[in-house]
Amino acid sequence: LSHKSAPLEVRESVSFLSSQILEALPVLKEELGEAVILSTCNRSEIYTVTDDAPAANGRIHEFVAKYHDLPADSIAPHLYTRTGSDAVQHLFGVSSGLDSMIVGESQILGQVRGALSAATEAKSAKMTCVGLFHSAMRVGRRVRQETNIGRNPLSISYAGVRLAQRVLGDLSDKRALLIGAGEAGSLVARALRTVGVGDLMIANRTESKAKELAGYLSSRVVPFERLDDSLKVADIVIAATDSPNYIITSAMSDSLHRMPGEAPLFAFDLAIPRDIDPEVASEDGVRLFNIDDLSAIAEENMAERRRSATDAKLIIDEEVAKFMIWWDSLDVLPTIKAIRQQAEDVRQRELAKAIDMLNDLSPEDKRVVDTLTRSIVNKILHDPTDSLKNGATKSQIRAARELFHL
């Protein structure tokens, strides 16, 4: 599912944290044989390879509901399935930024790479999924190089900072608190510095990571255990952790409350699952936003991005066709080799029998008979193997294997 099929509440209920991905992949490998999980703030997708798509689809849905302890019917209306070339086209569109909330955003390519890395580490990705995801990364790079889709790209993190500018105006005299120093947090910190925020505080469970980021961006570290104190003096708070639970709760109301006449506290929750309890929005002087509030930012330069998207789709169509040729060749080449080997085994046996019966053949006669039998086999197999090479479907390849008892 994704931001196109499910609201934030549903997306966060089935999202996979980094640690959960490494936990879930071995289970999926056992269940499906091959699996990659792509889980971001805007999507949770599972890719696999199977001979029985409906059965695998059912097992995936059952696994997701069971893993997240959810009734299957609560998420079923939000799920989508792509198979064959449609699945390839979908992933290529995702890696190119065409399926993102902010078209052309730059983070997704790294997230696709991260999904493959996790699957490789868990040994749940075999040749097909590895080939698919490597192709997706290459297509994503090509689209960005050959179109304007990535010109002045916005990441989700940068869009959150842009939203703060719209709400608060000039940020040069504002004090910002960033909670989380991971990849998303680092992007937020850079964006805040780029727009000239006056004072940047960074809090992170692992203080060494906060210090590293703060040193790079001339910011200061504040204790994660004392968020209340930092919240009291912050004008902006952006939360971007990998926590399964709320970091900022309504119980912290004393730190969040702003008096009449004071500037509001701009709070942006970048995390999935969310870091900020939605109840916080009821506090006086708090303006709480999440990633689904970025639609206005997403519309910036949309006309130009739509024109670029048309060019990107042509590239994707071309690359999908290339990939499907490679995909079909995975079955075609072994099938042709097996057919020819089977024919050669029969030829050798029958030739040996014939030569035993014709025991007065000269070496030259034997060579002639050997050449004759090779020629007959090659001519018989030429048309069927040529047809297989030139775009045979999966069902045709399967039929050939059944006909020859391979």
Side-chain angles (χ1 to χ4, degrees):
L1 50 76
S2 76
H3 66 100
K4 292 184 174 180
S5 70
L8 178 60
E9 293 78 10
V10 175
R11 298 204 306 276
E12 69 178 352
S13 71
V14 296
S15 67
F16 291 87
L17 302 175
S18 301
S19 58
Q20 292 176 320
I21 288 176
L22 292 175
E23 179 183 80
L25 282 171
V27 181
L28 283 169
K29 178 187 176 185
E30 188 71 25
E31 188 73 27
L32 302 167
E34 190 166 356
V36 179
I37 297 175
L38 176 59
S39 188
T40 74
C41 58
N42 280 324
R43 71 186 63 253
S44 289
E45 297 179 342
I46 295 175
Y47 292 82
T48 190
V49 181
T50 177
D51 285 329
D52 188 346
N57 195 41
R59 289 198 294 273
I60 290 171
H61 292 180
E62 184 180 346
F63 166 80
V64 171
K66 185 177 179 181
Y67 186 88
H68 292 288
D69 195 23
L70 295 167
D73 58 359
S74 70
I75 58 173
H78 305 285
L79 302 176
Y80 52 77
T81 302
R82 308 279 185 272
T83 58
S85 60
D86 289 341
V88 178
Q89 187 145 34
H90 177 76
L91 180 58
F92 287 4
V94 168
S95 67
S96 299
L98 297 188
D99 202 59
S100 298
M101 179 180 289
I102 299 177
V103 175
E105 59 97 357
S106 54
Q107 278 178 268
I108 186 62
L109 201 52
Q111 291 164 335
V112 170
R113 185 184 303 109
L116 178 59
S117 296
T120 302
E121 182 179 341
K123 296 181 171 58
S124 67
K126 299 177 184 177
M127 182 172 65
T128 304
C129 274
V130 170
L132 173 64
F133 273 73
H134 275 303
S135 294
M137 288 184 279
R138 181 174 50 76
V139 172
R141 289 192 296 269
R142 184 184 168 195
V143 165
R144 285 166 174 80
Q145 288 166 357
E146 297 182 20
T147 74
N148 290 327
I149 197 87
R151 179 173 290 178
N152 302 318
L154 280 175
S155 65
I156 295 291
S157 304
Y158 195 94
V161 175
R162 185 76 67 84
L163 185 60
Q165 285 182 300
R166 286 195 173 188
V167 173
L168 300 177
D170 181 21
L171 304 185
S172 60
D173 62 343
K174 304 299 182 186
R175 180 175 289 140
L177 170 63
L178 169 64
I179 306 173
E183 182 184 357
S186 298
L187 289 168
V188 170
R190 288 179 174 85
L192 286 167
R193 275 294 179 230
T194 299
V195 300
V197 74
D199 182 15
L200 176 58
M201 303 178 288
I202 301 175
N204 193 64
R205 287 189 192 276
T206 307
E207 192 171 279
S208 59
K209 290 187 70 174
K211 285 181 176 178
E212 181 182 349
L213 183 59
Y216 179 70
L217 294 170
S218 301
S219 307
R220 59 192 177 101
V221 175
V222 294
F224 187 86
E225 299 75 19
R226 294 169 57 188
L227 282 178
D228 290 73
D229 294 339
S230 301
L231 286 168
K232 288 176 182 176
V233 298
D235 302 298
I236 302 167
V237 56
I238 299 183
T241 79
D242 203 18
S243 171
N245 303 310
Y246 293 138
I247 301 295
I248 299 176
T249 67
S250 56
M252 304 164 79
S253 58
D254 287 347
S255 302
L256 298 166
H257 183 77
R258 296 296 186 267
M259 297 298 292
E262 285 188 299
L265 172 64
F266 173 90
F268 181 66
D269 194 344
L270 184 60
I272 295 284
R274 283 175 284 185
D275 281 338
I276 304 177
D277 185 345
E279 290 296 316
V280 164
S282 64
E283 294 293 331
D284 289 335
V286 176
R287 298 194 63 181
L288 175 60
F289 300 87
N290 58 52
I291 55 176
D292 280 2
D293 295 313
L294 295 177
S295 56
I297 304 295
E299 289 301 315
E300 289 187 5
N301 302 322
M302 185 52 75
E304 181 182 351
R305 289 171 188 269
R306 284 200 181 102
R307 286 194 294 271
S308 299
T310 301
D311 296 334
K313 286 174 183 175
L314 293 175
I315 293 173
I316 290 171
D317 288 344
E318 177 189 326
E319 293 288 350
V320 169
K322 285 182 187 176
F323 181 86
M324 295 310 293
I325 290 171
W326 174 80
W327 162 243
D328 288 337
S329 76
L330 295 181
D331 282 344
V332 165
L333 296 182
T335 298
I336 291 174
K337 183 177 179 181
I339 290 172
R340 288 199 169 277
Q341 186 60 55
Q342 184 187 76
E344 177 63 13
D345 291 344
V346 171
R347 186 188 76 84
Q348 291 280 9
R349 287 196 303 272
E350 297 305 315
L351 179 62
K353 288 179 187 176
I355 289 176
D356 282 345
M357 293 170 63
L358 303 169
N359 52 21
D360 58 345
L361 289 180
S362 67
E364 178 60 23
D365 291 337
K366 290 180 181 179
R367 188 189 66 76
V368 170
V369 174
D370 181 74
T371 300
L372 173 65
T373 56
R374 283 183 190 277
S375 179
I376 291 171
V377 167
N378 285 336
K379 287 185 181 298
I380 291 173
L381 294 183
H382 176 268
D383 284 346
T385 56
D386 198 48
S387 294
L388 286 172
K389 284 180 184 177
N390 293 319
T393 63
K394 292 282 181 183
S395 59
Q396 288 171 331
I397 294 168
R398 193 176 295 115
R401 298 188 71 86
E402 290 172 358
L403 284 170
F404 285 92
H405 299 290
L406 300 181

